[in-house]
Amino acid sequence: MDRFIGDDDYHQFIFWSADHKLALVALGLLIIGLLILKGRSVNTTRYLWLERIFAVTLLIIEGLYHMWLFTTEQWHLRQSLPLELCSLSLMVTIVLLWTGNRYLYQFVLYAGIGGAVQAMLTPVMNWSFPHFRYFHFFYTHIGIIITALYFTWVKGYRPTLRGIGGTMLTLNILLPFIWLINNQLGGNYMFLREKPGSGSVLDLLGPYPWYILSMEGLALSIFIILWTLLRGNVTKK
């Protein structure tokens, strides 16, 4: 247990280090595996039990993360609620894996991939391999991306323009509530109060509060790019 919570025993995560590249390589290999499955005729109903097992593992590792935060006295209302884009996407991903809901698929495809890819490229965390947080961070973010691509390439779900509109609408309905929660708790969920101190793509989007508007435009652009890349690349079912 001491090794699990003894954070001083681990070195700090370094952007574009070998540990970072290892996670990106793992993501790339999984994407290649999905592309191989895409070209084959498979009975996806046989995969239902795997989908649900994967959903349970995502839920368990997220639960362990919050247990770790609590055990190490790092769990705080202002920063530990599941109100970040990737945290919300993870919850939707778990329900999607369990239910196969096509509306949830659109959100995971656009918001999930859009947020998780950015997080994978510019991780905001302190500890590197083999710290538990390293595995939690990359397992959950890779899980979001792989789930969206699996439902697209293997199960034949179709990305739609309506899905882009629905995702944008959902996010803009959530933002005022998250902004209010930030003000009440002194938090910075979805970086609505300030940019992350460790550096991210937000540094390219202008000063506060204008970068929030830039985020809207960037999100819409990413969603359109995803739709363009994936709409004609779907397995017929």
Side-chain angles (χ1 to χ4, degrees):
M1 185 67 174
D2 290 339
R3 291 292 297 173
F4 180 67
I5 64 175
D7 300 327
D8 293 339
D9 296 336
Y10 300 91
H11 60 274
Q12 187 172 9
F13 181 84
I14 299 174
F15 173 74
W16 212 241
S17 62
D19 295 340
H20 188 189
K21 294 176 182 177
L22 177 64
L24 296 176
V25 168
L27 173 62
L29 292 175
L30 289 170
I31 290 175
I32 291 172
L34 287 180
L35 285 171
I36 293 173
L37 282 178
K38 175 181 176 291
R40 298 182 179 182
S41 177
V42 295
N43 183 359
T44 56
T45 58
R46 296 180 179 177
Y47 293 168
L48 289 177
W49 65 278
L50 286 175
E51 295 168 16
R52 294 186 174 183
I53 288 175
F54 187 41
V56 170
T57 65
L58 289 171
L59 184 61
I60 288 174
I61 197 169
E62 181 69 4
L64 289 173
Y65 171 61
H66 285 273
M67 288 177 59
W68 167 71
L69 288 176
F70 183 80
T71 303
T72 56
E73 300 182 352
Q74 298 179 78
W75 200 100
H76 304 287
L77 283 173
R78 67 178 182 273
Q79 64 187 28
S80 304
L81 297 175
L83 296 178
E84 302 289 1
L85 178 59
C86 287
S87 298
L88 293 169
S89 297
L90 177 62
M91 296 299 103
V92 178
T93 296
I94 291 170
V95 179
L96 170 62
L97 284 164
W98 199 265
T99 65
N101 185 283
R102 292 181 180 271
Y103 294 104
L104 299 181
Y105 156 77
Q106 301 290 335
F107 185 89
V108 174
L109 178 74
Y110 295 122
I113 289 183
V117 167
Q118 189 273 331
M120 290 280 295
L121 293 176
T122 57
V124 179
M125 64 174 177
N126 294 324
W127 296 286
S128 195
F129 180 91
H131 194 278
F132 166 75
R133 173 58 172 154
Y134 173 88
F135 290 103
H136 165 264
F137 182 92
F138 286 112
Y139 187 77
T140 53
H141 286 85
I142 288 175
I144 293 168
I145 297 168
I146 291 302
T147 297
L149 295 179
Y150 165 76
F151 273 84
T152 304
W153 290 340
V154 180
K155 301 204 73 169
Y157 284 37
R158 294 181 175 278
T160 64
L161 288 174
R162 180 177 293 182
I164 293 178
T167 301
M168 290 296 295
L169 178 62
T170 300
L171 292 175
N172 279 280
I173 290 174
L174 289 173
L175 287 182
F177 293 99
I178 295 175
W179 182 82
L180 288 173
I181 292 172
N182 282 337
N183 282 346
Q184 290 295 317
L185 300 179
N188 190 33
Y189 294 110
M190 287 199 183
F191 305 117
L192 294 180
R193 294 187 70 189
E194 61 182 2
K195 302 175 186 178
S198 58
S200 73
V201 70
L202 299 185
D203 292 334
L204 306 175
L205 301 182
Y208 178 88
W210 304 112
Y211 74 85
I212 298 175
L213 295 177
S214 300
M215 282 197 300
E216 293 263 358
L218 178 62
L220 180 59
S221 299
I222 292 173
F223 297 170
I224 292 174
I225 291 171
L226 287 170
W227 174 76
T228 302
L229 291 175
L230 297 175
R231 65 184 178 127
N233 202 12
V234 177
T235 301
K236 304 292 184 181
K237 295 293 181 183

